[in-house]
Amino acid sequence: MKVSVFRKEHFNAAHRLHNDELSESENARLFGKCNYPNYHGHNYELIVQVSGETDAKTGYVMDMKVLSDLIKQEVIEAYDHRNLNLDVEDFKQIIPTAENIAVAIYNRLRPHIDHTKDLKIRLYETERNFVEFPAG
Amino acid sequence: MKVSVFRKEHFNAAHRLHNDELSESENARLFGKCNYPNYHGHNYELIVQVSGETDAKTGYVMDMKVLSDLIKQEVIEAYDHRNLNLDVEDFKQIIPTAENIAVAIYNRLRPHIDHTKDLKIRLYETERNFVEFPAG
Amino acid sequence: MKVSVFRKEHFNAAHRLHNDELSESENARLFGKCNYPNYHGHNYELIVQVSGETDAKTGYVMDMKVLSDLIKQEVIEAYDHRNLNLDVEDFKQIIPTAENIAVAIYNRLRPHIDHTKDLKIRLYETERNFVEFPAG
Amino acid sequence: MKVSVFRKEHFNAAHRLHNDELSESENARLFGKCNYPNYHGHNYELIVQVSGETDAKTGYVMDMKVLSDLIKQEVIEAYDHRNLNLDVEDFKQIIPTAENIAVAIYNRLRPHIDHTKDLKIRLYETERNFVEFPAG
Amino acid sequence: MKVSVFRKEHFNAAHRLHNDELSESENARLFGKCNYPNYHGHNYELIVQVSGETDAKTGYVMDMKVLSDLIKQEVIEAYDHRNLNLDVEDFKQIIPTAENIAVAIYNRLRPHIDHTKDLKIRLYETERNFVEFPAG
Amino acid sequence: MKVSVFRKEHFNAAHRLHNDELSESENARLFGKCNYPNYHGHNYELIVQVSGETDAKTGYVMDMKVLSDLIKQEVIEAYDHRNLNLDVEDFKQIIPTAENIAVAIYNRLRPHIDHTKDLKIRLYETERNFVEFPAG
């Protein structure tokens, strides 16, 4: 039977929400304070869930130290203390909403997780606003 | 693919658990301290989850500011700083257990959420007691 | 040298803020939603701090199990699942604001704590509103 | 329609990760600091989820006081302040990883929960490492 | 006797640490990742403590609703969703470290708090890094 | 004027409370479940507070990255994933109560903190039991 393991990591980043194809007033209307021109930022809390069979030799679905190192290498290294709009390739064409950041993190991690295992991302932008991908 | 967004709000309310169709002793046996006659209360923490496709223009499943305003208008306005048994129509015929409050909140919000999107309610009565509707 | 030990307990209670010597409109103006007639309630989180010398035999300032039992007997037993205005003698003449509840808890515990030790009360009415007595 | 209720409990225990069928060096390589010979320990936070229909008479899926007492009797009594490797029968043949502890708790509780109801276990080993069984 | 009341608010902002009077390499050495040129950001959690005598008429040291409104008007309005370096006058000449932000918040609030009352600021930059002013 | 900075770190360790100079029955009476022979354990959360003048060049009381590294080197390295009674010299003659662990941590860090600055240790043994040294 399958067990899920979860590992929590965090990063601090600046961003703003802006759609280059829309007018300034439309951007202001859609995104409010999140559209302010000089960026704001968050302490993002990231929870990565991996689900699968437990290995008989180790009692692990996946070694959480290995999972932690993987998240640090593939996600934290690229996002932490960065401006998501200006510094991160993932968001050159895509607005860095919490929803889109979660999908981008999924795409960064999926190739590195055993294909027999399921992957889910939960991302807290603030304590009160968070997202999950895939939905569940 | 679908993403879930979650918005957390809170309200403070008084309630007591009492089934008018049962005797006082049966109520005391079933509900213990929660049946005390003069009410007690809680800081209810409410998490509303909406799941669906991300909008290409905004990068949002649903604008969390809009979701927050909706929860405040439809739920917090009616429940906050109120006595659920005496002041809130939803619980005139229904015992305000955490389970029933979660279902009532679902019913208040469902008509206002796009029908292509799924809705789920999580309600914390205390840090140690909480419920989710629909189950899953 | 002195060490402080802290023990956290909780209780759920209903209350309302109302000064019997003032008019209804003055009460409404002063206390807003906290003055609603049918009570509301909170999950009160209580932290009791005792400071003094560490005992050489036990390595304890005060056994936290003993402190926990004392808080349960002197405070939780009287306040939990109660209506502070209607059920608790402490608030017959005193408005149950967080400030006044903290002082009342101090007065309940002080006689039972060794007089060589200092006592301080922190009380969370919500995660965002809390008080400490004595100030410091 | 079905509602889930969740009850949170905790226990403090010592453990180490070690597979008796492997060499010392293989154990050290697989489990790192978790393999240190003299044990380390955790504040385990346990969340038990029970899902089913709400009872019309009580408004409960399951009385959370009853659920709490059941968890204390079947799990906390056996694990709290114990060395999981040395003191608990469940882990004589099984490595006490978070995954395996969650499955063992599930097996302890399942016979005592109404068979029409679903059961899920979430176990926090630390704030950053946690597991869920069954996966979901 | 004196009681302290605490009110918690939050704001999200971008910043970077940079001393204009030092070379780029000295800035990089001193501030590390916090010196990255395009800013990063935080969910700042702010706790404002006001200490003084309890008012006999209200049972309040200070109405926490009034305190909350004051913090929003004097601090949150100016800092929330802003770039502290570029958008906020307070940090034109002063590096926006947590220490300096806490002092700036104190200076914004002090004129609006009754002079018989003491004021203290606690500011969380992350869950793991926080400051208090005045020290205590 | 002085500002306090706080840095939070954690370690996981096993311990038991036992005074070698007392009988087994006296130990059992004094320490209860904490005296069980095969050890139990905790996720210790450690908050180190350093208070002093802010440096004009950096805006820091003390670089929290430096403070974090110092705590890791002097405390976490020695205590994490260890059995405090068996593996750590500090507790060969001293019972590892939370009070005594906090004093031991203070003694480890004090020589490495600038003597013009004040040092305070807060240690959480569980969410509900914690200590502070020096008392305040």
Side-chain angles (χ1 to χ4, degrees):
Chain A
M1 289 182 72
K2 291 188 174 183
V3 179
S4 292
V5 301
F6 302 76
R7 176 67 194 176
K8 186 176 171 187
E9 300 289 346
H10 68 276
F11 57 94
N12 307 313
H15 81 150
R16 80 182 279 229
L17 303 185
H18 188 269
N19 183 334
D20 295 342
E21 300 179 1
L22 303 175
S23 68
E24 287 309 304
S25 64
E26 181 68 0
N27 270 293
R29 193 186 63 78
L30 275 177
F31 297 118
K33 291 192 294 184
C34 298
N35 183 244
Y36 285 175
N38 289 326
Y39 310 98
H40 61 281
H42 296 291
N43 303 334
Y44 290 94
E45 293 286 345
L46 168 62
I47 297 176
V48 176
Q49 176 183 1
V50 176
S51 304
E53 300 289 337
T54 301
D55 181 86
K57 189 167 77 172
T58 59
Y60 284 158
V61 168
M62 180 177 181
D63 183 339
M64 289 198 231
K65 178 70 172 60
V66 171
L67 180 56
S68 170
D69 288 345
L70 179 67
I71 301 167
K72 281 172 183 152
Q73 179 186 307
E74 299 297 326
V75 180
I76 308 302
E77 189 69 26
Y79 290 4
D80 189 35
H81 281 71
R82 294 296 180 184
N83 183 310
L84 299 179
N85 304 65
L86 300 180
D87 297 331
V88 182
E89 199 61 36
D90 305 6
F91 306 107
K92 293 296 185 198
Q93 310 295 332
I94 291 172
I95 307 168
T97 58
E99 290 91 327
N100 285 339
I101 302 172
V103 174
I105 291 171
Y106 180 94
N107 290 336
R108 283 177 170 264
L109 293 175
R110 183 65 271 186
H112 302 279
I113 305 284
D114 186 305
H115 74 282
T116 67
K117 296 191 164 50
D118 293 322
L119 175 65
K120 184 174 282 194
I121 305 299
R122 178 174 280 206
L123 183 71
Y124 288 79
E125 194 171 81
T126 69
E127 192 202 358
R128 299 194 168 272
N129 286 345
F130 51 104
V131 302
E132 205 168 74
F133 177 77
Chain B
M1 288 181 71
K2 292 188 174 183
V3 180
S4 293
V5 301
F6 302 77
R7 175 69 195 176
K8 186 176 171 187
E9 301 288 346
H10 68 275
F11 58 94
N12 307 312
H15 80 152
R16 80 182 278 230
L17 303 185
H18 187 269
N19 183 335
D20 295 342
E21 300 179 1
L22 303 176
S23 67
E24 287 310 303
S25 64
E26 182 66 0
N27 270 293
R29 192 186 63 77
L30 275 177
F31 297 117
K33 289 192 296 184
C34 298
N35 182 243
Y36 285 176
N38 289 327
Y39 309 98
H40 61 283
H42 297 290
N43 303 333
Y44 289 94
E45 293 286 344
L46 168 62
I47 297 176
V48 176
Q49 177 183 0
V50 176
S51 303
E53 301 289 338
T54 302
D55 181 85
K57 189 166 77 171
T58 58
Y60 284 158
V61 168
M62 180 176 182
D63 183 340
M64 289 198 231
K65 178 69 171 61
V66 171
L67 180 56
S68 170
D69 289 346
L70 179 67
I71 300 167
K72 281 174 182 150
Q73 180 186 303
E74 299 298 325
V75 180
I76 309 302
E77 189 69 27
Y79 291 5
D80 189 36
H81 280 73
R82 295 297 180 182
N83 184 309
L84 298 179
N85 304 66
L86 299 180
D87 298 331
V88 182
E89 198 61 35
D90 306 6
F91 306 107
K92 292 296 185 199
Q93 310 294 332
I94 291 172
I95 307 168
T97 57
E99 290 92 327
N100 284 340
I101 302 172
V103 173
I105 291 171
Y106 180 94
N107 290 336
R108 283 177 169 265
L109 293 175
R110 184 64 270 187
H112 303 278
I113 305 283
D114 186 303
H115 73 283
T116 66
K117 295 189 164 49
D118 292 322
L119 175 65
K120 185 175 280 193
I121 305 299
R122 180 176 278 207
L123 182 72
Y124 287 80
E125 193 171 83
T126 71
E127 192 202 358
R128 298 193 169 274
N129 287 345
F130 52 105
V131 302
E132 206 168 73
F133 176 78
Chain C
M1 289 180 71
K2 291 187 175 185
V3 179
S4 293
V5 300
F6 302 75
R7 175 68 195 175
K8 186 176 170 188
E9 300 288 346
H10 68 276
F11 58 94
N12 307 312
H15 80 151
R16 81 182 279 230
L17 302 186
H18 188 270
N19 183 333
D20 295 343
E21 299 179 1
L22 302 175
S23 69
E24 287 309 304
S25 64
E26 182 67 0
N27 270 293
R29 193 186 63 78
L30 275 177
F31 297 118
K33 290 192 295 184
C34 298
N35 183 243
Y36 284 175
N38 289 327
Y39 310 98
H40 60 282
H42 296 291
N43 303 333
Y44 290 95
E45 293 285 345
L46 168 62
I47 297 176
V48 176
Q49 176 183 2
V50 176
S51 304
E53 301 288 340
T54 301
D55 181 86
K57 189 166 78 172
T58 60
Y60 284 158
V61 167
M62 180 177 181
D63 183 339
M64 289 200 231
K65 179 69 172 61
V66 171
L67 180 56
S68 171
D69 289 345
L70 179 67
I71 300 167
K72 282 173 181 151
Q73 179 185 305
E74 299 298 325
V75 180
I76 308 302
E77 189 70 26
Y79 290 5
D80 189 36
H81 281 72
R82 296 297 181 183
N83 184 308
L84 298 180
N85 303 66
L86 299 180
D87 298 332
V88 182
E89 198 61 37
D90 305 7
F91 306 107
K92 293 296 185 198
Q93 310 295 331
I94 291 172
I95 307 168
T97 58
E99 290 92 326
N100 284 339
I101 302 172
V103 174
I105 291 171
Y106 181 94
N107 290 336
R108 282 178 171 264
L109 292 175
R110 183 64 270 187
H112 303 277
I113 305 284
D114 186 303
H115 74 283
T116 67
K117 295 191 163 49
D118 292 323
L119 175 65
K120 183 175 283 194
I121 305 299
R122 179 176 278 207
L123 182 72
Y124 288 80
E125 193 171 81
T126 70
E127 192 203 357
R128 298 192 170 274
N129 287 344
F130 51 103
V131 301
E132 207 167 73
F133 176 77
Chain D
M1 289 181 71
K2 291 188 175 183
V3 179
S4 293
V5 301
F6 302 74
R7 175 67 194 177
K8 186 176 170 188
E9 300 288 347
H10 68 275
F11 57 94
N12 307 313
H15 81 150
R16 80 182 279 228
L17 303 186
H18 188 269
N19 183 334
D20 296 343
E21 300 178 1
L22 302 176
S23 68
E24 287 310 304
S25 64
E26 182 68 0
N27 270 292
R29 193 186 63 78
L30 276 177
F31 297 118
K33 290 192 295 184
C34 298
N35 183 244
Y36 285 174
N38 289 326
Y39 310 98
H40 60 283
H42 296 291
N43 303 333
Y44 289 95
E45 294 285 345
L46 168 62
I47 297 176
V48 176
Q49 176 184 1
V50 176
S51 303
E53 301 289 339
T54 301
D55 181 86
K57 188 167 79 172
T58 59
Y60 284 157
V61 168
M62 181 177 180
D63 183 339
M64 289 198 232
K65 178 68 170 62
V66 170
L67 180 56
S68 171
D69 289 346
L70 179 67
I71 301 167
K72 282 174 181 149
Q73 180 185 305
E74 299 297 325
V75 180
I76 308 303
E77 189 68 27
Y79 290 4
D80 188 36
H81 280 72
R82 296 296 181 183
N83 184 309
L84 298 179
N85 304 65
L86 300 180
D87 298 331
V88 181
E89 197 60 36
D90 305 8
F91 306 107
K92 293 296 185 198
Q93 310 294 333
I94 291 173
I95 306 168
T97 58
E99 290 91 326
N100 284 339
I101 301 172
V103 174
I105 291 171
Y106 181 94
N107 290 336
R108 283 179 170 264
L109 292 175
R110 185 64 270 187
H112 303 278
I113 304 285
D114 185 304
H115 73 282
T116 67
K117 295 190 165 50
D118 292 322
L119 175 65
K120 184 175 281 194
I121 305 299
R122 180 175 278 207
L123 182 71
Y124 287 79
E125 193 171 81
T126 70
E127 192 202 358
R128 300 192 169 274
N129 287 344
F130 51 105
V131 301
E132 206 167 74
F133 177 79
Chain E
M1 288 181 71
K2 292 187 173 183
V3 179
S4 293
V5 300
F6 302 76
R7 176 67 194 176
K8 185 176 170 186
E9 301 287 347
H10 68 276
F11 58 94
N12 306 313
H15 81 151
R16 81 183 278 230
L17 303 186
H18 187 270
N19 183 334
D20 295 342
E21 300 179 1
L22 302 175
S23 68
E24 287 310 303
S25 64
E26 181 68 0
N27 270 293
R29 194 186 63 77
L30 275 176
F31 297 118
K33 291 192 293 184
C34 298
N35 184 243
Y36 284 174
N38 289 326
Y39 310 98
H40 60 283
H42 297 291
N43 303 333
Y44 289 96
E45 294 285 344
L46 168 62
I47 297 176
V48 176
Q49 176 183 1
V50 176
S51 304
E53 301 288 339
T54 302
D55 181 85
K57 189 167 77 170
T58 59
Y60 284 158
V61 168
M62 181 178 181
D63 183 339
M64 289 199 232
K65 178 70 173 59
V66 171
L67 180 55
S68 171
D69 288 345
L70 179 67
I71 300 167
K72 281 173 181 150
Q73 179 185 304
E74 300 297 325
V75 180
I76 308 302
E77 190 69 28
Y79 290 3
D80 188 35
H81 281 71
R82 295 295 180 184
N83 184 309
L84 298 179
N85 303 65
L86 299 180
D87 298 331
V88 182
E89 198 61 37
D90 306 6
F91 306 107
K92 293 296 185 198
Q93 311 295 331
I94 291 172
I95 306 167
T97 57
E99 290 91 326
N100 284 340
I101 302 172
V103 173
I105 291 171
Y106 180 94
N107 290 337
R108 282 177 170 265
L109 292 175
R110 183 66 269 186
H112 303 278
I113 304 284
D114 186 304
H115 73 282
T116 65
K117 296 191 163 48
D118 292 323
L119 175 64
K120 183 175 283 194
I121 305 299
R122 179 176 279 207
L123 182 70
Y124 288 79
E125 193 172 81
T126 70
E127 191 201 357
R128 300 194 168 273
N129 286 346
F130 51 105
V131 301
E132 206 168 72
F133 176 78
Chain F
M1 288 180 73
K2 291 188 175 183
V3 180
S4 294
V5 300
F6 302 75
R7 175 69 194 175
K8 185 177 171 186
E9 301 289 346
H10 67 276
F11 58 94
N12 307 312
H15 80 152
R16 82 182 278 227
L17 303 185
H18 188 269
N19 183 334
D20 296 342
E21 300 179 0
L22 302 176
S23 68
E24 287 310 303
S25 64
E26 182 67 359
N27 271 293
R29 192 186 63 78
L30 275 177
F31 297 118
K33 291 192 294 184
C34 297
N35 182 244
Y36 285 174
N38 290 326
Y39 310 99
H40 60 283
H42 297 289
N43 302 333
Y44 289 94
E45 294 286 346
L46 167 63
I47 297 176
V48 176
Q49 176 183 1
V50 176
S51 304
E53 301 289 338
T54 302
D55 181 86
K57 189 166 78 171
T58 59
Y60 284 159
V61 168
M62 179 176 181
D63 184 339
M64 289 199 230
K65 179 67 171 60
V66 171
L67 180 55
S68 171
D69 289 345
L70 179 67
I71 301 167
K72 281 172 182 149
Q73 180 185 304
E74 300 297 326
V75 180
I76 308 302
E77 190 68 27
Y79 291 5
D80 189 35
H81 281 72
R82 295 297 180 183
N83 184 309
L84 298 179
N85 303 65
L86 299 180
D87 298 331
V88 182
E89 197 62 35
D90 305 7
F91 306 107
K92 293 296 185 197
Q93 311 294 333
I94 291 172
I95 306 168
T97 58
E99 291 91 326
N100 284 340
I101 301 172
V103 173
I105 291 171
Y106 180 94
N107 290 336
R108 282 177 170 265
L109 292 175
R110 184 64 270 187
H112 303 278
I113 305 284
D114 186 305
H115 74 282
T116 66
K117 296 189 164 48
D118 292 323
L119 175 65
K120 183 175 282 194
I121 304 300
R122 179 176 278 207
L123 182 72
Y124 287 80
E125 193 170 82
T126 70
E127 193 202 357
R128 299 193 169 273
N129 287 345
F130 52 104
V131 301
E132 207 169 71
F133 177 77

